[in-house]
Amino acid sequence: MRKFATISLLTIGLSVAAQTHVLDVNTKKLGAPVQPTMYGIFFEDINYAADGGLYAEMVKNRSFEFPQSLMGWRAYGNFEVRSDGPFERNPHYVRLGYAGHNDKFTGLENEGFFGIATKKDATYRFSLWARCPEGGKSTLEVSFVDNDTMGEDQRFARVNINIEGKEWKKYTAEIKSPRTEAKGALRIFLTGKKVTTDVEHISLFPVDTWKGRENGMRKDLAQALYDMRPGVFRFPGGCIVEGVNLESRYQWKNSVGPVENRPLNENRWHYTFGHRFYPDYFQSYGLGFFEFFQLCEDFGSEALPVISCGLSCQFQNPDPTKPGVHVALDSLDSYIQDALDLIEFANGPVDSQWGKVRAEMGHPEPFNLKYLGVGNEQWDYDEQHGGFGPVFTARLKKFSDAIRAKYPNIKLIGTTGPNSEGWDFDLLQPRMKELKVDLYDEHYYRNENWFLSHGLRYDSYDRKGPRVFAGEYACHGANNHKWNHYYTSLLEAAHMTGIERNADIVHMATYAPLFAHVEGWQWRPDAIWFDNLRMFKSVSYYVQQLYAVNKGTNVLPLTMQGKPVAGQEGQDGLFASSVFDKATGEVIIKVVNTSDKAQPLSIQLQGMKGTRTAQIITLTHDGDDDENTLDNPEKIIPIEGSCQVDAGKKSSLLLDDIPAKTFRIYKVKK
Ligand code: AHR
């Protein structure tokens, strides 16, 4: 964890006033284990999270497979789009020929994702597949251009690539940028003797990617994920798993193997919201299942892939009997086979069909997949709501029977649909128990009132049923205040005390969505924002990170004012939880003051005696609407401090005035 700025806490050590809240932490009694998977990340290609985001490819429509082949490109001179290229599933390419006069240019220019952004002194790896179809040799001049500049500086970095022969070959070149340019473009001119040249899969990556991988991730964004210490990593969505129809569902098999031959898929987020319309948003699958598993390994996270259950988006296809939108129950075999093959891809021996694919991609060792999600936001229908019956659970049962028969150790994740309460949730929750899924995935994007009044949500859950995965949640401000701001993040911190106190039943929780490009978002709030050169971590990110790095190993019983837990609405707006960390020997107490007044706390550490120094981490700010930004990325960050723990009469005693609207963590070595 980063070292935060240190403040001296002048408020510590105030005498106990009448309205003091007494928190009793029983440090002798270890409660339920906090699962290593407890706090994780959920990745979906929404808000340009993958193409144009984490996936470091800078060229948009690199294989000319967008429905309009030259979308994202400007083409000049004598060019032709052809469709008999070397890659079966991406057949389009461009033929560049002599433009009719030596002074005329033939070429292509790519606009990138909201521009091609280069950094001063950074090196970029350009590559393409090319040939001279009529034989001979040609030269391509590849340059970074700034179209706002006229003169020699317009092409401010250049390299020549010589193409030779009639066979398709891959060519690469490195280009160093002499300056930082946020809104540049990538230009290719046919030059030299202007011999006819075919070009395909034109790609540009920074050399300095996460772990230096060629088909790599943006280093700053991957580092931010790593810094969250995610225990579990759910991918690849979200709604994109389902598709708006079966054809556009995420098909993991299309996302593995050589990148040149991974077929394009549409991205539903390009048109889901007419007011946030991005007609050039597609999924290249360059960040595919192999890369997801690799990231899980890098981060030390359990992989949790989610696959289509044969139902395309139920929001968009309300009539499940309509032909073509959902797979009939008796035609699910290929979908179930996809699930079984995925487990083989992740875990199978190198001589199995899919284990071999993994090995050929450079990972002969298994990925040790343990979890599999079937379906995203799916549901059944009762008589009052369509009367179509157990549309989801009937399919889930078929998957479950087949997966359990072949892979009994894989933990299956079901879902309670898009709502955290209501008729659909009430219908599905008991069915998850009947089907004996290991966990079910709950989603709640709810407003401030909901977050302030669900402090006891998990206290009443059936302990004999499946465990809970809070797979998508975030506090969305009411009255359309659905953007990142401090107060909603604070309420997420308050809610998470309830998740933590109930670690026996809640085994995973992942905030959503994870990423958003400032110029290309469809959904907010989000954890991490970026443009092409910079990024910032939202306050919600820091809340998640603080929980993850301070999750401990076991829940510790805690009472507030003698009551077993903070109430549904907290007590005076105070929410709390506590854990013990066996590895460090620390007692960790999290307190969130959601009220607008400072509140005196008396934290009694039962089972501990004598004085100590406690570490304190504080996340606070004055303005409810404040947030970090690209220009001021560290406006609100956790601040570290320390305070004295006194020798109380019976136990060690920590006195504090927790400021208004503050999340504070106290760490005391036992
Ligand atoms: O996180 C954005 C969307 O919210 C997800 O795709 C979907 O699962 C939920 O409705």
Side-chain angles (χ1 to χ4, degrees), residues 42 44 46-47 234 237-242 268-269 315 376-377 418 441 443 445 472-473 512-514 523 526:
F42 158 54
E44 174 167 26
I46 182 172
N47 305 322
R234 174 179 177 237
C239 290
I240 65 165
V241 167
E242 305 157 24
R268 58 158 298 141
W269 297 111
F315 286 111
N376 174 45
E377 288 181 344
D441 177 15
H443 294 180
Y445 298 101
E472 290 182 36
Y473 68 95
L514 194 52
W523 184 294
D526 305 285

Side-chain angles (χ1 to χ4, degrees), residues 329-388:
L329 254 188
D330 56 5
S331 307
L332 274 175
D333 289 359
S334 67
Y335 288 71
I336 293 173
Q337 194 58 46
D338 278 353
L340 299 174
D341 290 344
L342 174 59
I343 300 168
E344 185 176 284
F345 174 75
N347 296 351
V350 295
D351 56 357
S352 63
Q353 184 191 352
W354 288 100
K356 185 163 177 264
V357 176
R358 182 192 73 239
E360 283 168 359
M361 293 183 76
H363 203 289
E365 310 78 25
F367 281 119
N368 291 319
L369 174 69
K370 299 190 185 87
Y371 300 93
L372 182 65
V374 178
N376 174 45
E377 288 181 344
Q378 325 293 165
W379 61 89
D380 289 349
Y381 302 83
D382 63 14
E383 283 311 313
Q384 286 76 51
H385 300 91
F388 302 114

Side-chain angles (χ1 to χ4, degrees), residues 328-477:
L329 254 188
D330 56 5
S331 307
L332 274 175
D333 289 359
S334 67
Y335 288 71
I336 293 173
Q337 194 58 46
D338 278 353
L340 299 174
D341 290 344
L342 174 59
I343 300 168
E344 185 176 284
F345 174 75
N347 296 351
V350 295
D351 56 357
S352 63
Q353 184 191 352
W354 288 100
K356 185 163 177 264
V357 176
R358 182 192 73 239
E360 283 168 359
M361 293 183 76
H363 203 289
E365 310 78 25
F367 281 119
N368 291 319
L369 174 69
K370 299 190 185 87
Y371 300 93
L372 182 65
V374 178
N376 174 45
E377 288 181 344
Q378 325 293 165
W379 61 89
D380 289 349
Y381 302 83
D382 63 14
E383 283 311 313
Q384 286 76 51
H385 300 91
F388 302 114
V391 167
F392 168 54
T393 50
R395 284 168 178 76
L396 178 59
K397 172 140 181 29
K398 291 204 154 218
F399 276 83
S400 163
D401 288 349
I403 294 167
R404 297 250 190 259
K406 190 158 183 195
Y407 296 107
N409 293 331
I410 290 288
K411 291 195 189 311
L412 272 186
I413 322 281
T415 169
T416 40
N419 293 308
S420 47
E421 55 272 306
W423 70 269
D424 43 356
F425 182 86
D426 294 343
L427 194 62
L428 282 168
Q429 199 189 35
R431 290 187 182 172
M432 292 303 111
K433 187 174 178 183
E434 279 158 35
L435 283 171
K436 295 195 172 68
V437 296
D438 295 283
L439 296 103
Y440 56 82
D441 177 15
E442 291 187 347
H443 294 180
Y444 41 96
Y445 298 101
R446 293 290 186 263
N447 66 23
E448 297 93 333
N449 283 341
W450 188 96
F451 272 80
L452 273 171
S453 59
H454 280 70
L456 298 181
R457 177 177 180 84
Y458 294 114
D459 292 69
S460 58
Y461 268 46
D462 177 3
R463 264 46 196 177
K464 297 199 182 83
R467 307 294 98 168
V468 174
F469 170 29
E472 290 182 36
Y473 68 95
C475 182
H476 283 195

